[in-house]
Amino acid sequence: RGSAPRAWVCSLLARAPGRMEVVDIPFDRTTEWLLERRIVGASYTKSLRTVHARLAAALAAERPAEAPAVAQLVPPGTERASLTYFDAKAVMQALLDAGLGEKTLFGGYSNAHTAQWADIVRRFEAGSIHLADAASAMAQAVGYELPALKKEAARAEKELSELVRRQGEYERLAAAAEERYVAACDKKGLGTDCSREEIGRRLRESRSLLRATFARVAALCQSEEMGGAVEYYLAYVRHCLEAAARLGADVGAKAAPPDVTADGADRAGKAAKAKGKAKGAKGGEGAGGGAAAGGGTAAPAAVA
């Protein structure tokens, strides 16, 4: 119902005296509804586990060759959780349609596969546990699997739109590249026939022209004019290298760092001391000369 807060999607037929009517119940409470009305027993889960075990054993067995439809309904590798009572009924009907429904004197099926699937269907229907199993599968599908599929579909649509956009872009790039290729072919004089075979044919034809061109270039390289040009170039390179070497030597001599080693420091100290002694000796000589000059002038005064 559109105005209801939750979806009412599960419909069951309720037998009333003299009539049949449809009862709508919420899908996520179907199992509770079945338990409240005692349509299924309170211990249905135990019986359901037994049916699931027999269903897993049937899936592990080989598929009958006489009924290829069974392999299509439940191919090898099918998981038990993905099957319900309705799948078991479909397999049972496929076996009967293939002519494997012969019964024994006691009413059982003579074919082992048919007997196995008939037992599964019978156990599903006993106590109406197939209704509880179907209700659980419906709640799982609506609550989890369908939203996941919707997200996956939305993601696939987004990827598809992106791929369509890229396809259009690549088609435009391919058209532009083809136009440039045709323009390049016209520029080279290839005309409208600009295929790979035509280009290869033109290249093979140009070998004879290239051979004459190479011979003319070789003759020019061996001429006297070329020899003089080579000698001039060698002299120019030699002059440049020598000038660069001289310039590097001058720059290195001017930029030589001072001697800062221990020996250099000792030599500098000795030179400074020698320079100081020389200055002291020169000063002493100047003072002695002055005193002698003074004594010479004062002696006559003393005598007088």
Side-chain angles (χ1 to χ4, degrees):
R1 311 189 192 287
S3 60
R6 60 173 60 182
W8 299 73
V9 296
C10 183
S11 299
L12 295 176
L13 291 176
R15 287 186 174 86
R19 69 180 187 277
M20 298 286 289
E21 63 181 13
V22 177
V23 179
D24 292 335
I25 60 176
F27 72 92
D28 55 348
R29 296 190 61 226
T30 305
T31 303
E32 299 177 7
W33 188 90
L34 292 172
L35 289 172
E36 290 174 357
R37 283 151 183 80
R38 298 182 180 180
I39 299 176
V40 295
S43 61
Y44 78 95
T45 55
K46 183 178 180 180
S47 301
L48 193 58
R49 285 195 296 269
T50 303
V51 176
H52 287 168
R54 293 181 177 273
L55 184 59
L59 291 175
E62 295 183 359
R63 307 300 183 263
E66 300 85 351
V70 175
Q72 297 177 359
L73 292 173
V74 283
T78 303
E79 297 181 357
R80 195 276 310 161
S82 62
L83 299 181
T84 62
Y85 161 77
F86 304 101
D87 298 312
K89 285 282 290 184
V91 173
M92 183 63 188
Q93 188 62 41
L95 292 171
L96 295 177
D97 294 341
L100 302 178
E102 297 181 0
K103 293 187 176 182
T104 62
L105 182 63
F106 300 99
Y109 290 98
S110 59
N111 185 271
H113 297 283
T114 307
Q116 189 176 25
W117 284 97
D119 180 64
I120 293 173
V121 172
R122 180 180 57 80
R123 290 178 179 272
F124 260 125
E125 294 175 349
S128 300
I129 62 175
H130 66 288
L131 296 178
D133 184 62
S136 177
M138 180 179 60
Q140 176 73 16
V142 176
Y144 300 98
E145 295 180 5
L146 290 180
L149 291 175
K150 287 182 179 180
K151 291 182 180 179
E152 186 176 356
R155 183 169 57 252
E157 290 180 358
K158 184 178 180 180
E159 292 179 357
L160 179 60
S161 61
E162 178 66 17
L163 292 175
V164 171
R165 185 189 65 80
R166 290 184 181 181
Q167 181 182 4
E169 182 179 354
Y170 292 154
E171 288 177 354
R172 289 192 297 270
L173 292 176
E178 185 176 1
E179 292 179 357
R180 292 194 301 270
Y181 180 72
V182 173
C185 290
D186 294 339
K187 186 177 180 180
K188 297 296 182 180
L190 296 177
T192 57
D193 188 6
C194 197
S195 61
R196 183 187 298 270
E197 292 76 10
E198 179 64 18
I199 294 175
R201 188 183 65 80
R202 294 288 186 92
L203 289 175
R204 288 190 294 271
E205 290 179 354
S206 64
R207 292 179 181 177
S208 58
L209 302 176
L210 290 175
R211 189 176 294 106
T213 303
F214 291 156
R216 185 169 64 256
V217 172
L220 291 175
C221 292
Q222 296 174 1
S223 62
E224 296 181 359
E225 292 82 0
M226 182 60 70
V230 171
E231 291 295 334
Y232 178 79
Y233 178 73
L234 291 176
Y236 172 73
V237 172
R238 191 180 298 111
H239 169 73
C240 292
L241 293 176
E242 292 175 356
R246 289 194 300 270
L247 180 61
D250 295 341
V251 172
K254 292 180 180 180
D259 192 356
V260 294
T261 60
D263 295 340
D266 293 340
R267 287 195 297 270
K270 291 179 181 180
K273 290 180 181 179
K275 189 175 182 181
K277 289 179 180 181
K279 288 183 178 180
K282 187 176 180 180
E285 291 177 357
T297 56
V303 172

